Amino acid sequence: MVLVFIIVSIAIILLEAPGLVKKKMWRELAAFLAYLSLGMALVIPQALGVKLPNPTKAIEALFRPLAELLK
Amino acid sequence: MRWLIRTLSKRLFRGRKNQSRDARAANQTGDGNLFRAPRKNQVLSPDLETNLKAIKAIFDKCSDVIYREFVFAQNEQIRLALIYIDGLADKGQVSEQIMRALALEVPMVVPGQEITKARALEFIKQRGLCMHQVKETDKLQDVIHAILSGDTVLLVDGHTCAIINGARGWEARSITDPVAEPTVRGPRESFVETLRTNTALIRRRIKSPGLKIETLRLGEVTNTDVAIAYVEGIVNDKLVEEVKSRLERIKVDAVLETGYIEELIEDNPWSPFPTVNHTEKPDRVAAMLLEGRVAILVDGTPFVLTVPTLFVEYLQASEDYYERFLFASAVRLIRFVSMILSLTLPSLYIAAISFHHELFPTPLLLSIAAQREAVPFPVFIEVLIMELSFEILREAGVRLPRPIGQAVSIVGALVIGEASVRAGLIAAATVIVVALTGIASFTFFYSFSIAFRLLRFTLMVLSAALGLLGLISGLAVITIHLCSLRSFGVPYLSPMIPTTGVDLKDVVLRSPWWGMFTRPRLIARQDQKRQEQGLKPTPPKNPRP
Amino acid sequence: MLKKIAFFLLLALLTGILSGCWSRKEISEIAIVLGTGVDLTEDGRIRLTVQIARPTAFVGGGEAGAVGTEAPASWVVSAEGRTVEEAERYLAMKVPRELYWGHNVILVIGEEMAKKGTRMVTNFFQRERQPRENAWLMVTKGEAKDFLETYSDLAKTSAQAAGFLTRMKTCYAVQLREFAEMLASKGVQPTATRVEAKKAGITPGPGQEKVFTAHKQVELTGAAVFKEDKLIGWLDAYQTRGLLWLKGEAMKGAVIVPSPAEPDKNVSIRILRGSTKVVPEYDGENLRFNVIIKVEGNMVDQQSREDLARPEKIKALKEAVAEAIRQRTAVALEKAQGEYGVDIFGFGEAFHRKYKKAWRELKDRWDEEFTRAEVNVTVDVRIREIGLLTRRASTEEK
Amino acid sequence: MLEKGKIDSNQAVMLMVSLVLPTAILFVPAIIVKHARQDAWLAAIVALLGGLLIARLVVSLSLRFPEKTLFEYAQTILGKVPGKLVGLLYIWWFLYTGALIMDEFASFLCTAIMPETPPVVLFLVGIAVAAYAVRNGLEVLSRYNQLLLPILLGLLVITFLLVTKDMKAERLLPVFDQSAPAILKGAAVPLSWLGEIVLFAMIIPFLQKPREAHRVAALATLFTGLFFAICTVVTLSVFGPNLAAHWVFPVYNTVRVVSIANFLERLDIIIVAVWVFGGFAKMGVFYYAAVLGSAQWLGLKDYRPLVAPVGLLLIGLALLCDNIVDLLDFAARAWPPYALIVFEVGMPLFLMIVALVRGKGESNA
């Protein structure tokens, strides 16, 4: 699974980045890379089997009093 | 919708202006022969010998070029030369109307007058030639072009002017039934390989000065005549400009068929769907022109391109408009269904057999299970084999000479259909599915069904891997792709998507003619109104006159 | 160039994904389960019996379907386990193909299992994606295994035969989902089809009596009555008709009444359609149900000699039919209210619809209330047609 | 402007219907029925009315800035930094909702048609298709939707008609059996789904006629709400209130019930098609909003480079979800307050008030 995501990421970079470099859209390139690394940071650990905290739980905790109403 | 055209034309014209200007310039100079091209704007010399020498040099080793020198009105001083290509020029006309007239008849017609070398040209033009179409030029390359086009060039000694006689006449196929688009009802004429005949066929259907036919030459070696036809007042002028600019951009050595042009002017060259339609039926072209489309005719092929092209065009046969509308609509509905079948049936079958057995009713599942019991292949392989052999059969049937072709299809059908089922190699249900798919793909236009055949295999792979999900994903991608396609600025799926209500009258159903008030909105922008309202026939109140 | 590399990478990935082929089962790799039976073994385990189609028997037409060489159409196999799933896993060790439940026509529950509770069984068939919620649910007297081990002479398999029998609604029929709905409701106690395997019919023909002796075939014999999910009793075919009338379902079948003038001879009325309306009345104390049954039927058979094609005779017949139907409902009611003490007719639902406040108090002791309730049945009969004859062909007029 | 295409009002209506409907028809009926039982349809109508109010609020707010999306006018109203903060919240909301939609997508497919397939594969397939649509722009996305939505809904309606044989009106009775709080509880979930119309604030600037936005939003909400109600009524009248609440995907089960003439049955494929085709559209819209929003938030010239990385991010977020019980529980309980209070009512209302106080935007809207 890790391999799958690495391949996907490389493919994404190869598809998008050259065009951005050519058009000198540096800002876009930075945003692109930032998002990509964010995505990788989420995906790769999970692919390796690391359990990441689930935001659903946080949201549930935040809205517990109201959520109880809907039980 | 105006923004659409605006953005489009912006997008289309951007960065192409300079290029097209170059192309136009190159075209005007008409750099004809690549090998011994005369200098640009090289003019003829007054000396006949020099001219002949120059031309002979250009047509070196061209044994079909005939040089015929003779004297005008039996006057030894006025020497003439005729140059034409054997086989392209009409020999009867050349000898009767030109040579005989100039050499023998002129003295009889104008007995008293003295024909001098200086006045020879005037005499020839005004009294000598019995030709319907005569042009004059003093440029060497025009002369070359004229000769290559089949005209006969007359050089007059002492004049820097050549007379081009339109005495073309070659062996041409006569107008026959359309082979690729046969019809039951409707005109039987189809285009031929001669451009002039083809334009005449269109002109005969649209007897209006609004029908404009502009010509240009494409192909640096072939110098093929290409004509653009449209109906002024109906067509969108921007579209004509766009077509011209795309054509002028083309710089290829040869244009032997419209297919060359098609691939060079398409909007999306990578798409499997054709965005330029072609037809060999003049009535269809006329109908297209009257809807505001532009036709591109190429000399040497009976196929005419029409743009812009919509998805639905491929499901509309010209016959739909000649048959009664209820029947036509029903037939068109069948075509829609077969289109969907030809795309999805095998993959649906694969998905159902190898993933979703719950889709079959119980008795059907049991019967299919029984058929497949002895089959040694997984269903995907089985369908693939059958589809491939079907394609092979089809190709063989097309390529082989007709008598053998039939034998091939009979043998193929027997071997593949009957024997393989009996041998237990293929399930009977698979044969049914493949045969139905194959036949369904023949119900609509050939060039369009090619796209579907290609995509069918992709969908088969997808559904073999992911079942229904694969099939649906594949269909979704195809749909998105279709939604993103445009043909000369018009969305490919229009008028379905984006929906233009009034134009839906001619998509799945064909409205009766008294209901077709308007032309397609996105194509004909200028003159929307097609006909008067209230044409629906009403029986007279008094039944007996 | 980079784009091309990316393209090939994605292509490789796609091939990788595509070669996964999850959830893929060729039709020739599955064992199509047509009928399922669940029994309780003596040591309290669940025995799952499946009737699997043998595809080779289903070849249609052509040389394969020649008479006399017909192969057995099904294979019945069973396994035990603590849960249905465990039993299924043990089955998988015996069946060389993947068990496939998507075309399971019937779910038969053995008597002992039904007494223990159906929830242990039905949950699997609702939760799993393959078994369908419109499979027919039936309870058999005796063991479900024996029931499934029969074969049918007309249908290919006995499971299909049972399925067709129930589908035609000749008797009380219930689908898994309807049963589940009844289970989940407090206003009605579940009932299911009662089935048995009985010897039926022979196959005549020279030499055939040796080949085809009369064997057991499936038969619908009434209804099974549940309290919650436990079987507590049976209704026979006659009582089941009363159940059907009161539930307002499947208004088919015939009513046999004595001929007006010759009470020892019978007249048959075939019921075409009908409807049942239950109107509860409650004053906080007494509970009463007015059941209005409307019936429409044709006369199809007459044993007596009298001329029935007369308005007054028809009127008399109508009353007789009404009485006959009342009798049936009375029998069913007596069973339900007296012997079993459960509301199998859904009167509770009707009550709920009318008295929603009172229902909140009564719903938890509904069955008691029901047994005490008074039920009035009114039958409104209409006889439309009398067939091709006006009267019986006989010499004397009466 | 980042998006060059424009869509017409019909396309916008359909897009907004797709924004809510595809996932909602699968999950929501069971949740409504759980609370409101026979009166579920009433709850759906209540939710519809609430949804109309939300739509009104959002469109009124957006029309004060007809040329700007939510991300841009938040900054105009609140100033740069607080505006950016609001934008960040909404990016999170779009992204995480998109991820949840993918989870729903995968869990349905896993349950209904392909249990052995790992969810990652389904995520990859779903994201690939949605990304293709998003990269092609709003215009293509809405055209795709315009082509398929009518077909899918038509199929759904036809199957509903086919199931009439198994429907019983009595199952809907008695009316008003449940207390008002129960009905309101039942309305909360569909309301929070209908409230996703907030996303329309991202689309309004790209309408050909922004002035029709009110009509578009109202029509879309009306249609979606009514369709909710229809689905609930159909489910209820087939299964009754007891059983309907127990199914995870009641509409799916409803379609499975169809059996006509022993042949026209097993129409599961229809609901799968509706769900997958519609799921692509729904995912596409959220995906698009997330990508466009991010691009505007970061001040980029083009949003397309972000499509692929955001897709990866969506997969990452979707992988966080552990099981369907968590998902169902979240959808039924935490989602309504989370979505309604913060994103669907709270924030727009806050922005509206501030805008009114500060007098920003065109007041005539």
Side-chain angles (χ1 to χ4, degrees):
Chain A
M1 205 153 91
V2 183
L3 196 68
V4 167
F5 285 118
I6 290 175
I7 291 180
V8 167
S9 312
I10 293 175
I12 291 174
I13 294 177
L14 289 182
L15 278 175
E16 292 284 358
L20 292 177
V21 174
K22 213 184 203 169
K23 278 185 244 158
K24 296 204 166 43
M25 296 166 91
W26 304 119
R27 203 181 164 85
E28 282 72 15
L29 187 65
F32 166 78
L33 289 175
Y35 265 95
L36 194 68
S37 35
L38 203 60
M40 295 280 277
L42 264 177
V43 164
I44 299 291
Q46 294 191 63
L48 288 169
V50 180
K51 271 260 177 271
L52 294 180
N54 189 346
T56 311
K57 296 289 170 214
I59 295 167
E60 270 177 9
L62 212 57
F63 292 92
R64 174 143 321 193
L66 285 162
E68 289 306 313
L69 278 178
L70 286 172
K71 203 150 197 177
Chain B
M1 289 328 290
R2 193 164 297 145
W3 61 269
L4 199 147
I5 270 285
R6 215 185 305 134
T7 47
L8 256 174
S9 49
K10 249 185 239 158
R11 197 180 303 167
L12 292 170
F13 288 131
R14 197 194 309 141
R16 191 172 290 163
K17 281 220 167 101
N18 300 329
Q19 225 175 349
S20 63
R21 198 172 300 144
D22 289 351
R24 206 172 297 148
N27 233 302
Q28 276 163 358
T29 53
D31 38 354
N33 199 307
L34 279 178
F35 310 106
R36 271 172 225 270
R39 287 194 321 274
K40 271 183 188 174
N41 300 326
Q42 184 181 352
V43 287
L44 292 170
S45 104
D47 181 35
L48 183 66
E49 292 301 327
T50 324
N51 284 338
L52 273 176
K53 221 171 168 183
I55 292 169
K56 275 182 180 164
I58 288 168
F59 289 115
D60 185 23
K61 293 178 194 156
C62 296
S63 61
D64 55 344
V65 180
I66 311 276
Y67 309 89
R68 177 73 167 85
E69 290 172 63
F70 60 103
V71 294
F72 181 48
Q74 295 170 335
N75 185 339
E76 292 295 334
Q77 278 163 8
I78 311 172
R79 284 185 301 128
L80 303 174
L82 268 180
I83 312 163
Y84 58 91
I85 291 179
D86 197 13
L88 291 187
D90 185 341
K91 278 174 207 151
Q93 275 193 40
V94 170
S95 50
E96 284 295 317
Q97 265 90 339
I98 303 176
M99 280 173 55
R100 187 182 168 84
L102 295 181
L104 302 173
E105 286 169 4
V106 171
M108 289 190 270
V109 178
V110 280
Q113 305 220 22
E114 190 196 351
I115 303 166
T116 60
K117 201 171 177 178
R119 290 179 64 196
L121 194 65
E122 189 187 326
F123 263 102
I124 290 170
K125 278 194 302 192
Q126 288 173 359
R127 309 194 184 172
L129 285 171
C130 308
M131 292 300 301
H132 67 102
Q133 190 191 359
V134 170
K135 273 190 291 187
E136 260 179 85
T137 182
D138 61 348
K139 295 205 176 65
L140 183 56
Q141 58 202 15
D142 287 356
V143 170
I144 305 294
H145 271 309
I147 296 169
L148 287 171
S149 306
D151 288 333
T152 305
V153 172
L154 179 70
L155 294 176
V156 186
D157 191 25
H159 294 270
T160 58
C161 182
I163 297 169
I164 300 169
N165 299 284
R168 297 182 191 182
W170 53 77
E171 292 304 317
R173 199 166 61 92
S174 58
I175 297 170
T176 51
D177 282 10
V179 180
E181 301 162 61
T183 48
V184 177
R185 180 168 177 180
R188 292 287 159 71
E189 282 176 339
S190 84
F191 286 121
V192 293
E193 281 77 1
T194 319
L195 182 65
R196 220 14 97 201
T197 317
N198 292 350
T199 55
L201 282 171
I202 298 173
R203 178 71 76 183
R204 261 185 36 215
R205 281 172 175 78
I206 306 175
K207 297 186 190 73
S208 154
L211 173 67
K212 306 294 178 195
I213 298 173
E214 295 184 46
T215 50
L216 64 155
R217 271 166 204 268
L218 291 178
E220 318 224 325
V221 180
T222 59
N223 282 303
T224 314
D225 288 315
V226 173
I228 306 169
Y230 53 89
V231 180
E232 206 173 52
I234 295 176
V235 78
N236 179 3
D237 296 335
K238 285 200 179 116
L239 175 66
V240 180
E241 278 310 305
E242 177 62 28
V243 171
K244 277 191 210 160
S245 79
R246 286 196 195 184
L247 284 178
E248 282 160 1
R249 201 183 62 86
I250 298 175
K251 280 203 155 194
V252 289
D253 61 341
V255 176
L256 295 181
E257 218 279 332
T258 39
Y260 286 52
I261 293 179
E262 183 179 336
E263 284 193 17
L264 290 165
I265 63 170
E266 275 177 316
D267 285 70
N268 189 341
W270 287 100
S271 173
F273 294 97
T275 48
V276 177
N277 197 359
H278 61 78
T279 177
E280 57 170 351
K281 283 173 67 65
D283 52 324
R284 195 170 160 91
V285 170
M288 296 279 192
L289 293 180
L290 289 171
E291 287 192 340
R293 289 187 179 82
V294 174
I296 302 167
L297 295 82
V298 173
D299 193 28
T301 174
F303 290 97
V304 173
L305 301 178
T306 51
V307 288
T309 301
L310 306 182
F311 183 85
V312 288
E313 268 172 42
Y314 291 101
L315 299 164
Q316 304 166 330
S318 59
E319 212 172 331
D320 290 355
Y321 299 94
Y322 310 142
E323 290 285 359
R324 290 166 52 72
F325 75 96
L326 280 176
F327 175 69
S329 302
V331 170
R332 213 176 255 186
L333 214 58
I334 286 177
R335 256 179 247 136
F336 258 84
V337 171
S338 4
M339 176 188 79
I340 293 164
L341 280 186
S342 81
L343 184 62
T344 58
L345 191 61
S347 24
L348 202 58
Y349 178 72
I350 292 174
I353 294 269
S354 51
F355 287 90
H356 312 292
H357 319 291
E358 62 270 15
L359 296 183
F360 295 109
T362 312
L364 184 59
L365 177 80
L366 289 171
S367 132
I368 290 179
Q371 290 169 22
R372 293 199 46 80
E373 200 61 8
V375 177
F377 311 109
V379 66
F380 171 63
I381 303 295
E382 191 188 353
V383 175
L384 198 66
I385 292 174
M386 287 306 286
E387 282 287 348
L388 279 177
S389 34
F390 178 81
E391 292 295 320
I392 292 169
L393 266 180
R394 188 196 52 77
E395 187 61 20
V398 174
R399 293 292 154 249
L400 278 175
R402 203 158 286 172
I404 311 174
Q406 280 185 352
V408 164
S409 41
I410 290 166
V411 170
L414 279 179
V415 168
I416 288 172
E418 187 68 22
S420 55
V421 171
R422 273 180 189 249
L425 290 175
I426 305 286
T430 312
V431 177
I432 295 171
V433 165
V434 170
L436 186 60
T437 316
I439 290 167
S441 70
F442 291 141
T443 53
F444 48 96
F445 273 68
Y446 183 71
S447 58
F448 197 51
S449 68
I450 294 172
F452 278 70
R453 285 216 291 272
L454 288 176
L455 293 172
R456 185 197 298 157
F457 283 96
T458 326
L459 285 182
M460 273 160 55
V461 173
L462 280 174
S463 61
L466 289 171
L468 210 52
L469 175 69
L471 173 60
I472 293 178
S473 310
L475 283 178
V477 169
I478 292 173
T479 316
I480 296 170
H481 173 70
L482 279 172
C483 286
S484 71
L485 275 183
R486 282 169 185 281
S487 172
F488 284 79
V490 179
Y492 196 46
L493 282 183
S494 71
M496 292 181 286
I497 308 295
T499 315
T500 28
V502 282
D503 291 344
L504 290 178
K505 62 184 184 291
D506 192 22
V507 179
V508 181
L509 303 177
R510 201 272 283 174
S511 307
W513 272 111
W514 38 264
M516 300 245 200
F517 307 124
T518 55
R519 304 180 208 279
R521 248 180 46 201
L522 289 182
I523 298 172
R525 288 166 174 280
Q526 289 195 359
D527 185 13
Q528 294 282 325
K529 189 175 151 192
R530 199 200 293 258
Q531 63 199 27
E532 294 296 326
Q533 301 230 350
L535 290 179
K536 182 182 172 187
T538 40
K541 287 209 176 84
N542 197 355
R544 265 179 295 175
Chain C
M1 192 56 218
L2 288 174
K3 279 204 172 180
K4 273 179 197 159
I5 295 174
F7 186 73
F8 280 114
L9 274 177
L10 284 177
L11 207 66
L13 185 69
L14 188 74
T15 335
I17 288 178
L18 294 190
S19 61
C21 295
W22 299 274
S23 312
R24 173 171 174 175
K25 255 153 257 150
E26 286 283 328
I27 234 169
S28 45
E29 296 164 5
I30 57 167
I32 302 162
V33 176
L34 289 177
T36 313
V38 188
D39 287 310
L40 194 69
T41 58
E42 279 167 13
D43 51 348
R45 286 153 69 87
I46 286 172
R47 185 174 63 205
L48 185 67
T49 309
V50 288
Q51 194 178 66
I52 296 168
R54 296 180 73 242
T56 36
F58 290 86
V59 177
E63 57 269 56
V67 190
T69 60
E70 207 166 314
S74 66
W75 180 45
V76 180
V77 58
S78 40
E80 291 170 17
R82 280 164 298 170
T83 63
V84 176
E85 173 61 15
E86 193 184 17
E88 194 215 351
R89 286 298 100 202
Y90 280 119
L91 262 185
M93 295 181 183
K94 300 182 189 177
V95 181
R97 292 183 181 188
E98 186 105 14
L99 282 175
Y100 176 71
W101 302 90
H103 286 81
N104 188 19
V105 185
I106 55 166
L107 173 60
V108 190
I109 297 176
E111 196 175 351
E112 291 306 313
M113 187 75 239
K115 280 181 182 158
K116 183 91 187 290
T118 55
R119 253 186 256 268
M120 291 168 71
V121 178
T122 49
N123 196 284
F124 174 83
F125 291 92
Q126 281 174 269
R127 195 179 288 277
E128 260 288 280
R129 74 187 179 103
Q130 285 181 351
R132 301 188 76 85
E133 46 276 66
N134 44 8
W136 301 102
L137 185 86
M138 30 191 81
V139 179
T140 177
K141 265 199 136 159
E143 298 231 312
K145 185 165 178 283
D146 298 337
F147 181 79
L148 285 174
E149 279 171 355
T150 56
Y151 66 95
S152 168
D153 276 314
L154 278 184
K156 284 268 184 188
T157 62
S158 58
Q160 282 170 303
F164 284 130
L165 281 173
T166 40
R167 186 185 268 277
M168 287 188 301
K169 304 234 170 172
T170 49
C171 192
Y172 183 65
V174 66
Q175 292 183 348
L176 188 54
R177 66 178 171 89
E178 291 164 332
F179 189 79
E181 193 194 339
M182 289 191 276
L183 262 180
S185 166
K186 283 186 170 155
V188 59
Q189 291 293 354
T191 37
T193 319
R194 166 183 165 180
V195 288
E196 278 168 75
K198 288 184 176 172
K199 280 195 177 175
I202 56 158
T203 312
Q208 296 291 320
E209 58 272 9
K210 278 173 199 156
V211 185
F212 298 104
T213 48
H215 59 92
K216 281 190 172 177
Q217 300 204 16
V218 295
E219 190 178 328
L220 309 188
T221 53
V225 180
F226 286 79
K227 186 178 174 71
E228 296 288 310
D229 66 331
K230 292 184 177 58
L231 177 74
I232 54 167
W234 306 98
L235 297 181
D236 63 20
Y238 185 71
Q239 293 153 350
T240 306
R241 298 235 73 86
L243 170 72
L244 287 171
W245 284 117
L246 284 171
K247 277 192 88 125
E249 276 179 21
M251 303 293 186
K252 272 185 177 175
V255 175
I256 314 300
V257 293
S259 192
E262 298 169 61
D264 56 326
K265 301 273 169 60
N266 288 328
V267 176
S268 314
I269 311 291
R270 184 178 291 160
I271 306 301
L272 294 175
R273 56 189 79 88
S275 65
T276 305
K277 201 176 162 195
V278 181
V279 184
E281 274 177 36
Y282 185 57
D283 53 5
E285 190 73 25
N286 298 312
L287 187 59
R288 196 166 71 193
F289 289 99
N290 293 323
V291 183
I292 300 144
I293 300 175
K294 280 188 183 159
V295 187
E296 227 174 83
N298 292 345
M299 186 166 79
V300 292
D301 183 19
Q302 170 190 6
Q303 292 177 337
S304 58
R305 294 179 142 193
E306 61 185 313
D307 182 8
L308 289 175
R310 287 191 202 150
E312 66 273 11
K313 294 278 165 114
I314 294 293
K315 199 169 172 236
L317 275 178
K318 279 182 181 174
E319 274 158 24
V321 170
E323 182 50 36
I325 291 175
R326 258 199 301 277
Q327 269 176 24
R328 292 174 185 208
T329 56
V331 173
L333 267 171
E334 194 194 324
K335 275 263 175 191
Q337 283 188 311
E339 194 179 336
Y340 302 132
V342 287
D343 174 12
I344 51 176
F345 309 113
F347 284 0
E349 293 282 336
F351 182 77
H352 179 193
R353 284 195 276 275
K354 193 161 173 194
Y355 301 100
K356 51 192 180 199
K357 281 206 185 108
W359 170 250
R360 276 181 209 143
E361 298 160 22
L362 295 186
K363 65 178 177 187
D364 290 325
R365 50 187 169 93
W366 176 250
D367 281 334
E368 293 165 40
E369 295 290 331
F370 168 72
T371 48
R372 278 188 271 126
E374 181 193 342
V375 182
N376 292 331
V377 181
T378 329
V379 186
D380 177 15
V381 184
R382 188 169 167 200
I383 296 174
R384 291 183 71 100
E385 312 286 343
I386 56 167
L388 298 174
L389 281 175
T390 54
R391 66 181 189 92
R392 189 185 163 82
S394 63
T395 47
E396 51 190 298
E397 192 89 9
K398 266 204 176 170
Chain D
M1 203 167 270
L2 280 171
E3 171 65 55
K4 290 187 187 66
K6 290 255 176 186
I7 61 176
D8 65 31
S9 301
N10 286 337
Q11 288 174 331
V13 172
M14 292 192 189
L15 204 63
M16 290 302 109
V17 170
S18 273
L19 174 70
V20 182
L21 209 54
T23 50
I25 53 167
L26 276 181
F27 285 94
V28 172
I31 301 175
I32 316 180
V33 173
K34 201 174 116 202
H35 290 296
R37 298 177 59 84
Q38 287 97 322
D39 298 326
W41 57 275
L42 258 171
I45 303 280
V46 171
L48 162 61
L49 297 177
L52 284 175
L53 287 179
I54 296 180
R56 181 87 204 169
L57 169 70
V58 172
V59 176
S60 300
L61 177 63
S62 292
L63 281 188
R64 296 178 73 87
F65 311 92
E67 297 292 308
K68 290 181 175 173
T69 69
L70 182 62
F71 286 80
E72 292 163 322
Y73 63 68
Q75 293 181 40
T76 320
I77 295 175
L78 298 174
K80 195 165 167 77
V81 177
K84 287 264 181 199
L85 220 60
V86 170
L88 197 62
L89 268 177
Y90 271 103
I91 291 178
W92 160 256
W93 191 59
F94 291 149
L95 274 176
Y96 198 56
T97 313
L100 288 175
I101 293 166
M102 284 223 300
D103 274 326
E104 288 159 7
F105 177 83
S107 74
F108 172 72
L109 287 178
C110 275
T111 312
I113 57 171
M114 33 202 344
E116 284 97 357
T117 314
V120 161
V121 174
L122 303 179
F123 293 158
L124 279 172
V125 171
I127 278 295
V129 177
Y132 182 51
V134 171
R135 234 194 112 85
N136 270 305
L138 180 64
E139 219 172 66
V140 170
L141 181 64
S142 39
R143 278 190 203 157
Y144 161 81
N145 185 55
Q146 191 186 18
L147 181 65
L148 287 171
L149 189 73
I151 301 175
L152 300 178
L153 292 185
L155 280 175
L156 213 52
V157 169
I158 290 172
T159 44
F160 285 169
L161 290 178
L162 291 178
V163 88
T164 40
K165 188 170 70 84
D166 296 288
M167 288 198 234
K168 272 189 195 154
E170 296 105 71
R171 290 184 172 123
L172 294 171
L173 297 173
V175 188
F176 300 120
D177 191 34
Q178 300 300 306
S179 57
I183 294 179
L184 286 181
K185 268 190 207 171
V189 174
L191 178 61
S192 63
W193 293 60
L194 284 173
E196 286 171 358
I197 192 97
V198 170
L199 197 144
F200 192 35
M202 300 296 294
I203 312 278
I204 287 179
F206 312 121
L207 287 183
Q208 273 170 29
K209 294 173 192 153
R211 295 289 144 199
E212 289 183 359
H214 271 300
R215 202 176 60 86
V216 168
L219 265 179
T221 312
L222 208 63
F223 187 83
T224 317
L226 284 180
F227 214 85
F228 263 177
I230 291 173
C231 286
T232 332
V233 167
V234 169
T235 323
L236 266 177
S237 56
V238 170
F239 291 119
N242 295 307
L243 199 52
H246 292 176
W247 299 118
V248 177
F249 312 107
V251 174
Y252 176 63
N253 288 84
T254 310
V255 172
R256 277 164 67 107
V257 164
V258 174
S259 172
I260 286 174
N262 214 350
F263 197 84
L264 197 58
E265 54 181 7
R266 301 166 182 278
L267 301 175
D268 320 19
I269 184 176
I270 289 179
I271 200 94
V272 173
V274 171
W275 172 235
V276 178
F277 276 125
F280 288 146
K282 175 160 184 165
M283 225 141 62
V285 185
F286 272 93
Y287 194 168
Y288 175 78
V291 169
L292 184 73
S294 306
Q296 286 182 335
W297 195 75
L298 293 165
L300 306 183
K301 285 199 268 316
D302 191 2
Y303 65 86
R304 277 175 301 178
L306 290 184
V307 173
V310 169
L312 197 65
L313 195 59
L314 280 173
I315 294 179
L317 284 172
L319 280 172
L320 287 173
C321 180
D322 192 40
N323 58 41
I324 188 169
V325 179
D326 275 358
L327 188 66
L328 282 175
D329 190 55
F330 178 75
R333 289 170 53 224
W335 165 261
Y338 159 69
L340 274 175
I341 294 178
V342 183
F343 299 103
E344 293 172 358
V345 181
M347 197 66 82
L349 203 62
F350 173 65
L351 288 175
M352 188 74 182
I353 291 168
V354 177
L356 283 174
V357 170
R358 287 193 169 180
K360 300 267 179 175
E362 303 166 29
S363 51
N364 58 343

